[in-house]
Amino acid sequence: MFSLPLAAQEPVTDGIGELLNQLEQADPAEAKRIDRQIKMEWSKSGSAAMDLLLKRGREAMERGDLELAAGHLTALIDHAPDFAEGWHQRASVWFQQGRYGLALSDLEHVLTLNPNHYEALFGLAVMLETLDQPELAYRAYTLVQQMHPHYEEAAEALKRLETRVQGQSL
């Protein structure tokens, strides 16, 4: 099965690393702004052609054309295998199609390329919860919260799973 890191990754000092460090300390309003910046950075492949494939894949997903989305994103991954966001978006397609093994494999690629990709880690947590792995899901949601303390869906998931994972006090 999938292994999770024991803690969030060490702070990094490049541009996106600095944004990640700021995100950990930000108030809720500032966190939303920083989150948008990080996602914009993650969406930059460095190639206009690859950015276009990502855009087309996302647009196809939004329209519900998951086969077309998978095609665009697979082409993106074929041409830019080190671009984590391509893997992340395709994992979303596989998850929506119920193809969990493929989704888990793609998420593993994302987290190998970018261990601080809290969106992919959240996706992994959702998948683990869906696959009735509450302890691993709880751990993954906890890591998301360490990286992005104002990630509301992760906080809600932790609350939802807390009793199931940690038990009830008597």
Side-chain angles (χ1 to χ4, degrees):
M1 172 64 57
F2 211 88
S3 68
L4 293 171
L6 294 174
Q9 297 298 308
E10 291 297 314
V12 284
T13 54
D14 64 2
I16 199 156
E18 184 55 38
L19 288 171
L20 288 164
N21 293 338
Q22 290 173 19
L23 183 62
E24 288 180 26
Q25 306 302 317
D27 63 48
E30 184 80 3
K32 285 182 181 181
R33 183 189 61 75
I34 295 168
D35 177 62
R36 281 191 304 272
Q37 283 182 277
I38 290 169
K39 288 176 183 174
M40 283 184 1
E41 290 300 315
W42 283 342
S43 293
K44 294 177 184 176
S45 69
S47 161
M50 298 307 104
D51 290 348
L52 180 60
L53 284 171
L54 179 63
K55 180 179 183 245
R56 286 184 176 167
R58 286 177 169 165
E59 289 170 349
M61 268 197 300
E62 288 173 14
R63 291 191 310 272
D65 190 344
L66 299 178
E67 289 302 320
L68 182 60
H72 288 307
L73 296 167
T74 297
L76 169 59
I77 290 165
D78 287 347
H79 294 291
D82 292 333
F83 181 46
E85 192 59 22
W87 294 98
H88 177 238
Q89 293 300 312
R90 191 173 73 172
S92 296
V93 170
W94 297 148
F95 179 76
Q96 289 177 48
Q97 291 179 323
R99 300 171 82 178
Y100 299 143
L102 292 171
L104 283 170
S105 177
D106 280 5
L107 288 172
E108 185 173 19
H109 282 283
V110 177
L111 293 169
T112 297
L113 294 167
N114 181 359
N116 291 304
H117 199 302
Y118 54 82
E119 287 289 338
L121 191 54
F122 180 81
L124 175 61
V126 169
M127 288 212 49
L128 291 167
E129 190 174 355
T130 300
L131 296 171
D132 198 29
Q133 297 289 322
E135 293 84 8
L136 286 173
Y138 189 88
R139 195 161 135 212
Y141 287 129
T142 300
L143 292 173
V144 171
Q145 284 275 256
Q146 288 174 359
M147 290 181 230
H148 187 336
H150 299 289
Y151 201 117
E152 292 176 20
E153 293 89 350
E156 292 166 8
L158 286 168
K159 252 186 237 176
R160 180 177 62 249
L161 290 175
E162 186 172 21
T163 302
R164 190 168 172 205
V165 171
Q166 298 180 351
Q168 270 184 310
S169 61
L170 298 175

